Amino acid sequence: SEPLFSAMMKDVLEIKPKTKEEGLAEFASRGFLLIDATYKPVNHPHLSQKARNALILDDFPLLIEELRKHAEPETGVVLVKANVCELLEPKLTNCGFTVLNRGKKIPFPSTGQQNRFREAVREVLGLEHDK
Protein backbone atom coordinates (compact mmCIF):
# COMPACT_ATOMS: atom_id res chain seq x y z
CA SER A 1 0.00 0.00 0.00
CA GLU A 2 1.14 3.51 -0.74
CA PRO A 3 -0.87 5.78 1.55
CA LEU A 4 0.64 9.06 0.34
CA PHE A 5 0.09 8.32 -3.36
CA SER A 6 -3.41 7.00 -2.68
CA ALA A 7 -4.36 10.02 -0.57
CA MET A 8 -3.05 12.48 -3.15
CA MET A 9 -5.02 10.75 -5.91
CA LYS A 10 -8.29 10.18 -4.11
CA ASP A 11 -8.55 12.83 -1.43
CA VAL A 12 -6.68 15.82 -2.84
CA LEU A 13 -6.91 15.66 -6.63
CA GLU A 14 -10.12 13.60 -6.59
CA ILE A 15 -9.08 11.20 -9.33
CA LYS A 16 -9.60 7.44 -9.32
CA PRO A 17 -7.13 5.86 -11.72
CA LYS A 18 -7.50 2.24 -12.79
CA THR A 19 -3.74 1.66 -12.53
CA LYS A 20 -0.82 3.32 -10.80
CA GLU A 21 0.65 4.24 -14.19
CA GLU A 22 -2.60 5.97 -15.17
CA GLY A 23 -2.63 7.81 -11.84
CA LEU A 24 0.97 8.95 -12.21
CA ALA A 25 0.31 10.17 -15.75
CA GLU A 26 -2.68 12.23 -14.59
CA PHE A 27 -0.74 13.47 -11.56
CA ALA A 28 2.09 14.64 -13.83
CA SER A 29 -0.31 16.18 -16.36
CA ARG A 30 -1.60 18.40 -13.55
CA GLY A 31 1.95 19.53 -12.80
CA PHE A 32 2.64 17.38 -9.74
CA LEU A 33 5.55 15.12 -8.83
CA LEU A 34 6.18 13.05 -5.70
CA ILE A 35 9.77 12.87 -4.46
CA ASP A 36 10.76 11.15 -1.24
CA ALA A 37 12.91 13.12 1.19
CA THR A 38 14.93 9.92 1.62
CA TYR A 39 14.80 6.50 0.06
CA LYS A 40 16.03 4.89 3.26
CA PRO A 41 13.38 3.28 5.48
CA VAL A 42 12.73 5.64 8.39
CA ASN A 43 9.54 4.25 9.90
CA HIS A 44 10.95 1.24 11.70
CA PRO A 45 9.79 1.14 15.33
CA HIS A 46 13.34 0.51 16.52
CA LEU A 47 14.52 3.89 15.16
CA SER A 48 14.36 6.86 17.48
CA GLN A 49 12.99 10.15 16.17
CA LYS A 50 16.54 11.52 16.32
CA ALA A 51 17.78 8.65 14.12
CA ARG A 52 14.90 9.14 11.67
CA ASN A 53 15.65 12.84 11.41
CA ALA A 54 19.36 12.12 10.89
CA LEU A 55 18.56 9.79 7.95
CA ILE A 56 16.41 12.49 6.35
CA LEU A 57 19.04 15.18 6.85
CA ASP A 58 21.83 12.90 5.59
CA ASP A 59 19.98 12.54 2.28
CA PHE A 60 19.22 16.25 1.90
CA PRO A 61 21.88 16.71 -0.84
CA LEU A 62 20.22 13.90 -2.82
CA LEU A 63 16.82 15.56 -2.42
CA ILE A 64 18.24 18.85 -3.70
CA GLU A 65 19.75 17.01 -6.67
CA GLU A 66 16.38 15.38 -7.48
CA LEU A 67 14.49 18.66 -7.14
CA ARG A 68 16.94 20.49 -9.38
CA LYS A 69 16.67 17.70 -11.95
CA HIS A 70 12.86 17.81 -12.07
CA ALA A 71 11.82 21.33 -11.05
CA GLU A 72 12.85 24.96 -11.11
CA PRO A 73 13.54 26.67 -7.75
CA GLU A 74 10.35 28.76 -8.13
CA THR A 75 8.30 25.56 -8.48
CA GLY A 76 6.08 25.14 -5.43
CA VAL A 77 7.19 22.41 -3.05
CA VAL A 78 4.78 20.84 -0.56
CA LEU A 79 6.28 18.95 2.37
CA VAL A 80 4.38 16.10 4.03
CA LYS A 81 4.98 14.61 7.48
CA ALA A 82 5.50 16.78 10.54
CA ASN A 83 9.21 16.09 11.03
CA VAL A 84 9.93 16.50 7.30
CA CYS A 85 8.15 19.88 7.39
CA GLU A 86 10.17 21.00 10.42
CA LEU A 87 13.51 19.73 9.14
CA LEU A 88 13.36 20.63 5.48
CA GLU A 89 11.29 23.78 5.06
CA PRO A 90 14.04 26.15 6.26
CA LYS A 91 16.76 24.23 4.42
CA LEU A 92 14.85 24.19 1.12
CA THR A 93 13.95 27.87 1.50
CA ASN A 94 17.62 28.69 2.10
CA CYS A 95 18.45 26.81 -1.12
CA GLY A 96 16.04 29.04 -3.03
CA PHE A 97 13.04 26.71 -3.31
CA THR A 98 9.50 27.94 -2.80
CA VAL A 99 7.99 25.87 0.01
CA LEU A 100 4.22 26.32 -0.06
CA ASN A 101 3.67 25.03 3.47
CA ARG A 102 4.78 28.36 5.02
CA GLY A 103 4.99 26.72 8.43
CA LYS A 104 1.90 24.53 7.97
CA LYS A 105 2.65 20.96 9.04
CA ILE A 106 0.93 18.33 6.94
CA PRO A 107 0.50 14.96 8.64
CA PHE A 108 1.25 11.73 6.80
CA PRO A 109 -2.06 10.24 5.59
CA SER A 110 -2.19 7.12 7.74
CA THR A 111 -3.34 6.01 11.16
CA GLY A 112 -6.39 8.24 11.23
CA GLN A 113 -4.68 11.34 9.78
CA GLN A 114 -6.33 11.15 6.34
CA ASN A 115 -8.86 13.95 6.93
CA ARG A 116 -6.26 16.29 8.45
CA PHE A 117 -3.90 15.45 5.57
CA ARG A 118 -6.55 16.21 2.93
CA GLU A 119 -7.53 19.53 4.49
CA ALA A 120 -3.93 20.66 5.05
CA VAL A 121 -2.76 19.80 1.52
CA ARG A 122 -5.80 21.41 -0.06
CA GLU A 123 -5.17 24.53 2.03
CA VAL A 124 -1.48 24.71 1.10
CA LEU A 125 -2.30 24.20 -2.59
CA GLY A 126 -5.08 26.78 -2.45
CA LEU A 127 -7.74 24.27 -3.54
CA GLU A 128 -11.33 24.73 -2.47
CA HIS A 129 -12.29 22.94 0.70
CA ASP A 130 -15.03 20.33 0.66
CA LYS A 131 -18.40 21.85 1.30
Side-chain angles (χ1 to χ4, degrees):
S1 87
E2 297 181 54
L4 181 58
F5 177 77
S6 176
M8 288 299 293
M9 294 287 116
K10 179 179 147 202
D11 297 329
V12 177
L13 301 178
E14 299 174 342
I15 57 177
K16 296 176 174 90
K18 292 180 178 86
T19 65
K20 184 175 181 182
E21 291 75 24
E22 182 182 299
L24 288 170
E26 178 63 23
F27 196 67
S29 77
R30 294 186 186 198
F32 294 102
L33 171 71
L34 283 174
I35 298 177
D36 285 324
T38 180
Y39 292 101
K40 296 173 186 161
V42 295
N43 290 327
H44 291 298
H46 70 278
L47 286 177
S48 69
Q49 190 63 48
K50 185 176 180 180
R52 293 171 193 207
N53 291 349
L55 287 171
I56 292 166
L57 290 173
D58 286 348
D59 280 354
F60 183 72
L62 297 173
L63 174 61
I64 292 295
E65 185 179 315
E66 284 292 304
L67 286 170
R68 288 190 173 136
K69 188 185 314 180
H70 298 291
E72 298 298 321
E74 61 275 5
T75 301
V77 174
V78 176
L79 300 172
V80 175
K81 201 162 185 291
N83 66 323
V84 171
C85 295
E86 292 169 2
L87 293 169
L88 300 185
E89 182 169 357
K91 292 178 79 57
L92 286 168
T93 301
N94 287 340
C95 287
F97 287 92
T98 304
V99 180
L100 300 178
N101 296 60
R102 292 186 179 90
K104 176 88 174 169
K105 293 179 190 167
I106 300 174
F108 193 79
S110 64
T111 61
Q113 299 292 323
Q114 290 86 344
N115 288 338
R116 289 183 59 223
F117 166 83
R118 179 181 60 247
E119 290 302 315
V121 171
R122 291 180 68 78
E123 179 183 327
V124 165
L125 290 176
L127 301 173
E128 286 186 37
H129 289 283
D130 297 333
K131 302 208 184 325

